[in-house]
Amino acid sequence: MSDDKKRTFDPDVVSIDPTAAEMLKIAEDCEISTVFQRADSIKPCSTGAGGGCCKLCAMGPCRLIGKHDRGVCGADRETVAARNFLRQVAAGAAAHSDHGRDVALTLRAIASGEVEDGTIADTVKLAKVAGYMGIDVAGKDANTLAVEVADCALAQFGQQTGELVYIGRAPEKRQELWRSLGVVPRGIDREVVEAMHRTHAGTDQNYKTLLDGAIKCSLASGWGGSMLATDLQDILYGTPTPVRSSANLGVLSEDKVNILIHGHEPLLASMILDATSEPEMLELAKSLGATGINVAGICCTANESLMRKGVPPAGNMLHQELAILTGAVEAMVVDVQCIFQGLTEVADHFHTKLISSSPKACVGDSEQIVVDEHRPREAARQIVRSAVENFANRKEVHIPNVSEPLVAGFSHEYIRYMLGGTMRASLTPLNENIVNGRIRGVAAVVGCSSPRSVQDYAVVNVVRELIANNVLVVVTGCAAITSGKHGLLTPETMAFAGESLAEICETIGIPPVLHMGSCVDNSRILTVLTDMAATGGLGDDIAGLPAVALSPEWFSEKALEIATYAAGSGAHVIFGGVGSPVANSEVVSTYMIDGWTERYGGSLRFIKEPQDMVVATLDLIDNARKALKIDVAAERVLFDMDMRRELSV
Ligand code: NFS
């Protein structure tokens, strides 16, 4: 750790999750560094954090601070901030979309019989997706259709001209707006490459066009790579329906072999799950003194496996090192994204095997068992066997006795079904209850946890305060796991909801906080918003709906890309925690709020404090209601310090 300063680190204040303090004290005793300690000892560079550092060429890096308003090439603060932002969005779009590409390749390999015993789980969704793509389904068996769907999906990545096929799923009005502004993505890869090109030194030098570039690139993920990932994963592994499970480190088992699946891709995780129930593996586990094999998850691989198989999440992104500190993890299998290299140091102190499974992400000096997409079952068995054999090396174990029950798996399809049954599946009751004011609006609380914020504090506060104000909340990504860890994903949570929202939740039998999936599944939210606009009573576009998206503890470039496609799709977005990546330019910061609202009907603003985020959300929702002429007098329930302190227990 460079940049040492006077030690201030206190395990009791960096998180409101009691398991964090418990594990961090163990880390301190063993002198193991974690993300929490490193965040405490490394001061972020404020110039870089606000988008004020340009390191695109060797005339710099230029830091545009103080009296320096231009770089050596003459680029001003606006250009530099917008260019940095576009690069971040492009990296996020690349990550989500490359994930989608791999799912398409897997679907093709399975459907064409190249994968041993691979199957297609959801043929209804397959037919639906084929319909979106304009593929004739008549007389075709599932595998033939799946090959055509996979080929169409794969073609979206390399397409050079025209429009992505899923653009046609957006509201008509939105499509026309995008066309008129020239931001309809042509091909997924093309938009990421163009973003890199236009940000090369001496290319695009106008912050407004750079930010249009960010919108176009992000739409290629939101209505392209991410949406394809969601759809094709549903086809392969099943469209989620509600499932019970539990969350937090207490889901690890003292007497079973524990395998943690971490990252973002569900393929290997599902094969590992299958392998853990093979008699041969169970016998081996028993012969070594274990009573069975337990699989739990971290990050979005956890969400994917939770929604479809009920695999319990052991924690969100900040829990990855803490899980190993329990001493109870025989193997942590990682694929791609949000995986800390710091895991290697923690794993070195324990018997845990850290196994990288993706050819494009080897974590430090971890063991690599690269999954051959044509024979994933073989890799899964090898991993499970290796984990089971490692049980014999387990030493002292310290698993916090903390976990909360939860219900997850509210896909768009299930929400329609729960509101109208099989015959009349629709969002009409949702829209009606928004119009009559029982539901004030809808908020999506998404994204990460960050060591630059107090872990879980902002997400829990924002969610609790919004449901208290009769705002129906959907959650994805690490915010969904945070909600689960703090007991917000059960029907009993309606006790914290406003009266009219609680009544609706009770009637339907749902929690006021709906777990909607992983981060690529933010595309499910786009689908729900589009459906709300099509259902009637709330306008005819995503812009204007009484709906807001929030990421109170964001950290990744993927989160910025999600924010950008949401804003470009017409939603207002509020990010919290660490501050704005364009703070170095007041002009760009304001433009993303007012300029984008005027141009796209959506916006992106950065607000530090959770309570201010709630106030801004309610303002945006109430303004939308007023514009729709459905405003009714509604009280505001704002939490005081005592109420907020209660959440920290
Ligand atoms: Ni999303 Fe999922 Fe979590 Fe943030 Fe990372 S795991 S893709 S980026 S940290 S929510």
Side-chain angles (χ1 to χ4, degrees):
M1 289 182 203
S2 59
D3 224 7
D4 278 339
K5 58 172 185 175
K6 196 169 172 290
R7 253 182 97 64
T8 55
F9 182 72
D10 179 352
D12 285 313
V13 301
V14 294
S15 173
I16 61 163
D17 180 340
T19 68
E22 205 172 325
M23 301 322 298
L24 288 172
K25 282 170 193 160
I26 294 176
E28 290 219 298
D29 291 347
C30 303
E31 294 185 1
I32 299 171
S33 98
T34 68
V35 64
F36 291 94
Q37 284 104 338
R38 291 188 294 271
D40 182 64
S41 81
I42 300 173
K43 198 167 173 280
C45 162
S46 60
T47 313
C53 174
C54 182
K55 54 187 184 78
L56 294 183
C57 79
M59 294 192 292
C62 300
R63 291 186 301 142
L64 303 195
I65 47 170
K67 61 180 176 24
H68 298 294
D69 273 333
R70 289 186 181 272
V72 174
C73 72
D76 60 20
R77 283 179 183 232
E78 284 60 63
T79 294
V80 170
R83 215 153 50 179
N84 284 331
F85 183 78
L86 173 51
R87 284 217 163 183
Q88 289 175 300
V89 167
H96 275 148
S97 298
D98 204 31
H99 170 170
R101 181 201 326 268
D102 281 345
V103 184
L105 287 167
T106 301
L107 178 64
R108 200 184 192 293
I110 287 177
S112 56
E114 292 165 26
V115 177
E116 40 156 44
D117 65 6
T119 51
I120 288 167
D122 192 340
T123 51
V124 174
K125 182 95 183 210
L126 173 64
K128 193 167 149 194
V129 172
Y132 293 144
M133 294 173 167
I135 297 170
D136 186 9
V137 301
K140 289 174 188 160
D141 63 41
N143 283 340
T144 307
L145 193 55
V147 169
E148 286 184 38
V149 164
D151 282 343
C152 176
L154 290 167
Q156 299 298 295
F157 291 88
Q159 189 170 286
Q160 299 302 317
T161 54
E163 298 183 353
L164 290 185
V165 66
Y166 274 4
I167 291 302
R169 290 176 61 179
E172 279 290 336
K173 201 170 170 182
R174 184 89 341 220
Q175 295 179 42
E176 281 161 25
L177 178 74
W178 288 337
R179 284 184 196 114
S180 72
L181 297 175
V183 294
V184 176
R186 299 150 296 188
I188 299 167
D189 291 351
R190 177 159 190 197
E191 303 313 342
V192 175
V193 169
E194 184 174 288
M196 297 307 287
H197 181 183
R198 71 195 302 162
T199 53
H200 187 276
T203 311
D204 197 357
Q205 298 156 44
N206 177 307
Y207 73 91
K208 291 183 183 172
T209 53
L210 282 160
L211 292 177
D212 276 345
I215 298 267
K216 185 162 63 165
C217 183
S218 69
L219 293 177
S221 171
W223 297 86
S226 291
M227 202 172 267
L228 285 166
T230 295
D231 277 353
L232 304 188
Q233 284 174 177
D234 282 355
I235 292 170
L236 280 169
Y237 312 111
T239 302
T241 55
V243 58
R244 285 188 180 279
S245 188
S246 46
N248 216 336
L249 294 176
V251 305
L252 295 172
S253 170
E254 289 223 354
D255 44 21
K256 291 181 182 166
V257 173
N258 288 307
I259 301 175
L260 272 179
I261 47 181
H262 170 24
H264 286 77
E265 297 179 344
L267 170 67
L268 179 64
S270 83
M271 298 281 174
I272 284 176
L273 212 54
D274 289 349
T276 56
S277 55
E278 287 180 12
E280 181 197 331
M281 299 296 178
L282 290 168
E283 280 307 313
L284 180 62
K286 278 189 189 136
S287 73
L288 293 165
T291 60
I293 309 169
N294 180 43
V295 179
I298 300 275
C299 287
C300 283
T301 302
N303 281 317
E304 301 284 3
S305 314
L306 164 66
M307 287 190 296
R308 299 189 177 91
K309 312 265 181 174
V311 171
N316 53 17
M317 187 271 283
L318 286 184
H319 264 43
Q320 55 189 285
E321 292 163 324
L322 307 186
I324 296 180
L325 284 159
T326 62
V329 178
E330 273 58 52
M332 179 181 272
V333 190
V334 301
D335 48 67
V336 290
Q337 302 169 20
C338 303
I339 299 150
F340 296 156
Q341 189 170 347
L343 285 173
T344 54
E345 186 198 336
V346 188
D348 279 350
H349 283 79
F350 295 88
H351 73 306
T352 306
K353 285 187 182 222
L354 183 62
I355 301 169
S356 299
S357 64
S358 167
K360 55 190 139 192
C362 180
V363 180
D365 58 359
S366 65
E367 185 178 341
Q368 248 197 326
I369 299 181
V370 171
V371 180
D372 175 345
E373 67 195 18
H374 294 103
R375 285 181 302 169
R377 213 167 275 284
E378 207 172 285
R381 284 202 189 105
Q382 193 186 344
I383 288 166
V384 172
R385 187 171 297 108
S386 161
V388 172
E389 285 167 354
N390 198 24
F391 186 77
N393 299 320
R394 198 191 265 194
K395 294 192 179 75
E396 204 182 324
V397 164
H398 186 113
I399 302 173
N401 186 20
V402 179
S403 68
E404 289 287 339
L406 62 86
V407 182
F410 291 89
S411 55
H412 166 239
E413 288 83 347
Y414 188 82
I415 292 174
R416 281 176 67 88
Y417 165 75
M418 82 187 180
L419 293 175
T422 313
M423 302 301 286
R424 276 195 221 102
S426 88
L427 295 188
T428 303
L430 172 66
N431 280 24
E432 283 174 355
N433 280 300
I434 292 175
V435 171
N436 68 27
R438 285 206 196 100
I439 297 176
R440 188 176 189 152
V442 179
V445 180
V446 310
C448 327
S449 53
S450 163
R452 297 286 176 208
S453 319
V454 174
Q455 185 195 21
D456 300 349
Y457 178 76
V459 168
V460 170
N461 272 280
V462 165
V463 169
R464 287 275 301 263
E465 294 193 38
L466 288 175
I467 61 173
N469 281 284
N470 293 310
V471 175
L472 178 68
V473 173
V474 301
V475 287
T476 59
C478 285
I481 299 175
T482 300
S483 302
K485 284 194 301 163
H486 293 273
L488 294 170
L489 298 182
T490 61
E492 290 71 35
T493 311
M494 68 180 79
F496 307 124
E499 208 178 316
S500 55
L501 176 63
E503 196 186 309
I504 289 164
C505 291
E506 195 165 9
T507 312
I508 307 172
I510 51 161
V513 186
L514 302 177
H515 181 298
M516 224 177 193
S518 63
C519 283
V520 290
D521 291 337
N522 286 312
S523 65
R524 294 189 202 276
I525 300 173
L526 293 178
T527 307
V528 170
L529 294 174
T530 303
D531 197 358
M532 283 171 72
T535 299
L538 296 173
D540 55 359
D541 189 9
I542 294 173
L545 289 172
V548 174
L550 301 104
S551 187
E553 300 174 34
W554 72 280
F555 97 103
S556 81
E557 291 166 318
K558 289 178 293 176
L560 292 175
E561 161 248 326
I562 293 164
T564 308
Y565 74 62
S569 300
H572 291 297
V573 183
I574 299 171
F575 266 39
V578 289
S580 164
V582 293
N584 203 51
S585 165
E586 191 60 45
V587 174
V588 170
S589 304
T590 307
Y591 183 75
M592 282 179 165
I593 302 172
D594 299 334
W596 274 3
T597 301
E598 202 178 303
R599 201 165 164 79
Y600 293 101
S603 62
L604 173 56
R605 65 198 75 204
F606 294 83
I607 299 175
K608 204 164 172 49
E609 293 302 325
Q611 192 155 19
D612 298 336
M613 282 182 236
V614 172
V615 170
T617 303
L618 295 176
D619 280 345
L620 288 163
I621 285 176
D622 291 348
N623 288 343
R625 296 188 66 92
K626 203 179 258 176
L628 289 165
K629 301 195 174 29
I630 56 167
D631 49 326
V632 285
E635 270 184 39
R636 287 191 170 196
V637 182
L638 296 177
F639 285 23
D640 60 25
M641 276 322 286
D642 285 344
M643 293 160 90
R644 302 170 129 235
R645 225 169 276 129
E646 229 175 79
L647 298 177
S648 318
V649 179

